[in-house]
Amino acid sequence: MARKGLDKSVVMKAAAELIEEQGLSRFSMGELARRLHVKTASLYNHVDSLDRLLDEVGLEAAARLTAEENAAISGKTGDEALFSLAEAYRRFAREHDQMYRLIIGFSRRSGEMQIREAREILEPIRKVLEGYGLSQTQQYHWQRILRGMMVGFAIHEHAGGFTGLPVDKDESYRLAVQCMADGLRRAGRGSE
Amino acid sequence: MARKGLDKSVVMKAAAELIEEQGLSRFSMGELARRLHVKTASLYNHVDSLDRLLDEVGLEAAARLTAEENAAISGKTGDEALFSLAEAYRRFAREHDQMYRLIIGFSRRSGEMQIREAREILEPIRKVLEGYGLSQTQQYHWQRILRGMMVGFAIHEHAGGFTGLPVDKDESYRLAVQCMADGLRRAGRGSE
DNA sequence: ATTGACAAACTAATAGTATTAGTTTACGAT
DNA sequence: ATCGTAAACTAATACTATTAGTTTGTCAAT
């Protein structure tokens, strides 16, 4: 009873599907093994550990998010690009909530937490900021500010927060992004 | 071998200490029991479950955070209050990182996540916003925006993010809060 | 003082988690 | 045809949390 065509990419794909279907909380090596008609131990021929597996699935999800961000801003500049980026980010977080969890990095794995910040992931923001004529220093600061805002909003919504108040969340977000846009323009003027 | 003076508050206190000392990831009912010189099962005379225990410890931590926020803004208004609030929030998240985790709610507990939003917790922000003369609607929006920004920053720092860039994080935060301040003033003028 | 009840500790067991060691076996290359 | 390797297996370990059932200490009432 050997040879079932499993390999790392098949396992990762199945893991991603399982997580999207049933949620991160119900995911386990045992569940994954069952779906692949294999015993749990066999998975270890293809992945190092649960944590590593989740890391890698998360990285792939991050790549998808980045791709969507890039698509959203392609051909746009200035405020148009900014709003488009912000919207794409938020949409991804809502539509793929389990994957977004994985990207942000608060899985179950022992309370660890990390936000992925590879070069490519920061690219979309960097491109959007280019349009505002910031100094290098200012650009770095605004990278953080923008990311902070987007993450903060995504996490809140994700957690079911922001629901108590009787005003539209889309509008709240729009105002937040507008606030960033105004701030960016101001910063751009300042550093000329 | 009965009667060791345990009760719910003692257990919760010990749990909080253990978490602050060793981190959420190393916390377990077994560890907690060992610290209290008791068998694991005995804890269940005082707490319902691990999840409930963490919830309650988290709620207590949230109360402490709120108290610090209130202290920070007491006697202040306008931008001064805003900056003071933002600084207090960030300081708490840095100084009590494990407790902050618990507040935000990304413990291990099954990937659940919730941001606590009881009335009292929102009070400090509400008070600060009072100074900007916003309409009720605007105030609700800005409550979200402010919270989003503070959470986003805290989470990032927490996750070890923001470290790649060669500019000061304090300054990034200051700029973010300044951006909020400017936006708030603009919003205040707009709704008069 | 004795008794009796309650609460708090215990022991023991269950079911779930990830992971490792060691064994078998199928397939592909020689 | 055979032989080695990689992929599956079985079995075991060491953790989780949690529940059921049992013992026992303490406090209150008689």
Side-chain angles (χ1 to χ4, degrees):
Chain A
M1 200 188 295
R3 297 301 127 86
K4 304 201 176 179
L6 278 205
D7 71 3
K8 183 162 181 169
S9 81
V10 172
V11 173
M12 278 182 53
K13 200 164 177 175
E17 282 172 18
L18 198 51
I19 290 169
E20 293 215 294
E21 284 172 26
Q22 316 213 343
L24 210 39
S25 60
R26 276 197 274 284
F27 180 81
S28 72
M29 295 300 269
E31 276 298 316
L32 180 55
R34 181 162 333 123
R35 158 163 304 213
L36 291 166
H37 307 104
V38 147
K39 300 299 171 188
T40 307
S42 306
L43 296 176
Y44 289 83
N45 287 316
H46 308 289
V47 300
D48 291 333
S49 70
L50 171 65
D51 285 6
R52 290 288 294 264
L53 172 62
L54 294 181
D55 272 354
E56 297 187 47
V57 174
L59 277 176
E60 233 177 74
R64 279 194 357 239
L65 166 56
T66 304
E68 294 196 15
E69 290 178 299
N70 278 320
I73 64 174
S74 108
K76 297 177 179 150
T77 58
D79 286 5
E80 196 192 5
L82 175 64
F83 276 92
S84 202
L85 171 73
E87 192 207 324
Y89 188 92
R90 180 162 175 246
R91 186 176 49 234
F92 185 95
R94 301 174 115 188
E95 290 179 357
H96 307 96
D97 57 320
Q98 299 301 320
M99 283 299 143
Y100 184 70
R101 274 204 151 90
L102 225 41
I103 292 172
I104 293 296
F106 47 80
S107 59
R108 304 78 50 80
R109 43 196 197 295
S110 41
E112 291 313 317
M113 175 174 192
Q114 69 177 68
I115 294 182
R116 302 171 198 291
E117 301 199 315
R119 243 338 137 270
E120 320 87 53
I121 291 176
L122 298 179
E123 264 304 285
I125 292 190
R126 208 192 49 69
K127 275 190 253 173
V128 167
L129 292 182
E130 262 176 4
Y132 288 92
L134 304 173
S135 70
Q136 184 62 257
T137 298
Q138 284 284 312
Q139 190 180 117
Y140 287 146
H141 286 306
W142 281 93
Q143 231 174 84
R144 286 181 178 148
I145 296 169
L146 234 54
R147 260 170 83 64
M149 175 58 81
M150 296 196 301
V151 167
F153 249 84
I155 293 228
H156 261 99
E157 287 202 86
H158 219 266
F162 285 169
T163 48
L165 306 177
V167 294
D168 186 30
K169 274 183 292 187
D170 295 357
E171 175 66 2
S172 299
Y173 195 59
R174 203 191 60 71
L175 286 168
V177 179
Q178 185 62 57
C179 180
M180 307 281 99
D182 295 337
L184 277 167
R185 228 184 326 277
R186 212 169 13 248
R189 277 200 305 275
S191 62
E192 270 164 26
Chain B
M1 202 188 296
R3 296 304 127 85
K4 304 203 176 180
L6 277 205
D7 70 5
K8 182 163 180 168
S9 80
V10 172
V11 172
M12 278 181 53
K13 199 163 177 177
E17 282 172 16
L18 198 52
I19 289 168
E20 293 215 293
E21 284 172 26
Q22 314 212 345
L24 209 40
S25 61
R26 276 197 275 283
F27 181 80
S28 73
M29 295 300 268
E31 276 297 317
L32 179 56
R34 179 159 338 120
R35 159 162 306 213
L36 291 165
H37 306 104
V38 149
K39 300 298 171 188
T40 307
S42 306
L43 296 176
Y44 290 83
N45 287 317
H46 308 288
V47 299
D48 291 333
S49 69
L50 171 64
D51 285 5
R52 289 288 293 264
L53 173 61
L54 292 182
D55 273 352
E56 296 187 49
V57 173
L59 276 176
E60 235 177 71
R64 276 191 1 237
L65 166 56
T66 304
E68 293 195 15
E69 290 178 298
N70 278 320
I73 63 174
S74 109
K76 298 179 177 146
T77 59
D79 287 4
E80 195 192 7
L82 175 63
F83 276 91
S84 203
L85 172 72
E87 191 206 323
Y89 188 91
R90 180 162 176 246
R91 185 176 49 233
F92 186 94
R94 301 175 116 190
E95 289 180 357
H96 307 95
D97 58 319
Q98 298 301 319
M99 283 298 141
Y100 184 70
R101 275 203 149 93
L102 223 43
I103 292 173
I104 294 295
F106 45 87
S107 58
R108 300 78 49 82
R109 45 195 195 294
S110 43
E112 292 310 320
M113 177 176 187
Q114 68 177 73
I115 293 185
R116 304 168 197 290
E117 300 200 315
R119 247 332 140 274
E120 322 87 53
I121 290 176
L122 298 178
E123 264 303 285
I125 291 190
R126 206 193 51 67
K127 275 189 252 171
V128 167
L129 292 180
E130 261 176 4
Y132 287 91
L134 304 173
S135 69
Q136 184 62 258
T137 299
Q138 285 284 313
Q139 189 178 117
Y140 287 146
H141 287 306
W142 281 93
Q143 230 175 85
R144 288 182 177 148
I145 296 169
L146 233 52
R147 260 169 84 63
M149 175 59 82
M150 295 196 301
V151 168
F153 249 84
I155 294 227
H156 261 98
E157 289 202 83
H158 219 268
F162 286 169
T163 46
L165 306 177
V167 294
D168 187 30
K169 276 183 290 188
D170 294 357
E171 175 66 2
S172 300
Y173 194 59
R174 203 191 59 71
L175 286 168
V177 179
Q178 184 62 56
C179 180
M180 307 281 100
D182 295 337
L184 277 167
R185 228 183 327 276
R186 211 167 16 245
R189 278 199 308 273
S191 63
E192 268 162 27

